[in-house]
Amino acid sequence: MCGIVGAVAQRNIVSVLIEGLRRLEYRGYDSCGVAVLAGGEPKRARSVARVADLDEQVRETRLEGVTGIAHTRWATHGAPVTDNAHPIFSRNELAIVHNGIIENYETLRDMLRGKGYEFISQTDTEVIAHLIQSLYSGDLFAAVREATGHLHGAYAIAVLHKSQPDTVVGARQGSPLVVGLGEGENFLASDALALAGSTDRFMFLEEGDVCELTLEKVRVFDRDGKPAARDVRQVAAYGGAVELGPYRHFMQKEIFEQPRAISDTIPQSDVFDASLFGETAPKAFAEIDSLLILACGTSYYSGLTAKYWLESIAKIPTQVEIASEYRYRDSVPNPKSLVVVISQSGETADTIAALKHAQSLGHKHTLSVCNVATSAMVRMTELSFLTHAGREIGVASTKAFTTQLVALFVLAATLGKMRGNISAKQEADYIRQLRHLPAALNSVLALEPQIIAWSEEFSRKENALFLGRGLHYPIALEGALKLKEISYIHAEAYPAGELKHGPLALVTEAMPVVTVAPNDALLEKLKSNIQEVRARGGQLYVFADADTKIVNDEGLHVIRMPEHYGLLSPILHVVPLQLLAYHTACSRGTDVDKPRNLAKSVTVE
Ligand code: M6R
């Protein structure tokens, strides 16, 4: 999704800005651009192709400057065409880049048109550009502070003005922005990752902050217009670019990294201890009587899986909600409910807004399960549990999902223990099973050649159904999401018992029905559902645990999974579904790591 980089330096800064955009590319974008102050004027280059194309343009035109801003845009207002690409100018004096959405842009546009401002783009960003320009009287910092008072919605912006050649001003509300501190130079970015190689010292701006960067100084004012001190944090983890190695795509690499990612996420300790979730977790966990899980997409499905664990292991009532729905509906808050936000990026706008909403309703204890230690969500919650998936580049989430499941299982077992629902023997068994997971996953990954054979057939389909029951229904949902996201095949998932209540009407010989078949308490019920599909000529593709006795037959294609893995089985069963989606997408020749219309980190509502 949209990305920002900005810099004030004493050297030509264009290559730093372009490199920053490259580091943000994996998030998804459809145009990009850079502007610098050159010879006292703002000059820019923009492209509706890739950052590499922008790089060529700036080399050819010899675009150079010591103060600059740059952007990758994921279109919201206005098509991905050059006129809408950022930086956006106002009267050739001011340049701006913007992440987020301005909700009152129409009112502001009318007001600014009345003042003689001409609009060239269809973007809401141009409104901010002209608004700041209209308020400018020699002090860009002051003009931005005043302008932000008129903006409704979410934004992170970086602005420069021809009359202040050594200054970049930034502001944030609802979208992340971070200041990078250098020696005699300073930087701004929507993600610290963009500045790897330039600095490892960062100030994470807070909601409502406005900052001014000059060569030697960074000033921050808070939402009340008062000078604010923000902690400087050393973030060394933002190393170099992630290599693809022997893999064809990052998604494939990330699927195969799961044994390592899971082993890094499993706590070292031989016991489940609340302090794994933060210093105050023992007290907080003792005070709660239920859980409210908020998340989006794949992270939502990990929450749905966790509900089964939390209610069966910890016997604690658990509600799971799609963040973008929860934030806008009337709900009955329970201050004794622990709010859990789950997110790979920790920056998903809908989840952040849902968390804020829950906090505003009086929810006291909050926990984030997240893959990015410095993310907004981790900073906003009282408690946190970090997944150690490592950087996930592919838009389709894989290792982030399975590591979230590990984290949530540890949460269920910890609460179960605190509430006296698991014995010492059970605790030791869970720990042993967790530790054996990486090896079990390796045996599932070894099924890849069989899955490739199936994917050839899937690549010729336009629809698919996914079935699961109980704990594995969210896994069916996740399998369907993976397939549609990267192969563009329409896929739906159902709890297998729901089939006869409607979706069975879709079953013909042309409809592949992917079934997740663990050897659990619902196996016999699932076998009946399988027969319902076979009786209608449907083609079943079943991932069956070795001990299920489901075997190949007419209309019944089976890939044998390892022995049943008890409550942790969803973590194994999702992996062949990831591989099926991946290889089907490869056969169809789609852009696996950057599927159309999607972004890695969804920082707008
Ligand atoms: O970073 P988050 O986990 O908060 O992201 C939530 C969703 O946008 C994300 O899981 C999305 O559904 C993935 N592309 C799915 O593969």
Side-chain angles (χ1 to χ4, degrees), residues 296-300 342-348 351 377 395-398 404 478 481-482 485 598-602:
C296 302
T298 287
S299 298
Y300 169 69
I342 308 170
S343 176
Q344 187 284 127
S345 61
E347 302 290 353
T348 302
T351 312
M377 273 181 232
V395 162
S397 189
T398 52
Q404 284 168 355
E478 171 62 3
L481 178 64
K482 288 288 91 93
E485 207 175 9
L598 300 181
K600 180 66 187 162
S601 190
V602 186

Side-chain angles (χ1 to χ4, degrees), residues 273-281 285 367 369 382-385 407 410-412 414:
D273 191 311
S275 58
L276 290 167
F277 296 84
E279 244 176 69
T280 58
F285 286 178
L367 162 71
V369 172
E382 174 196 1
L383 311 171
S384 59
F385 188 103
V410 172
L411 176 65
T414 304

Side-chain angles (χ1 to χ4, degrees), residues 25-61:
E25 262 193 305
Y26 78 99
R27 289 165 164 247
Y29 65 103
D30 37 44
S31 60
C32 50
V34 56
V36 289
L37 287 173
E41 298 292 327
K43 295 262 161 48
R44 69 185 161 191
R46 296 184 287 178
S47 167
V48 288
R50 314 307 291 170
V51 173
D53 176 72
L54 183 71
D55 192 19
E56 239 172 71
Q57 266 191 60
V58 300
R59 285 171 200 274
E60 274 170 20
T61 57

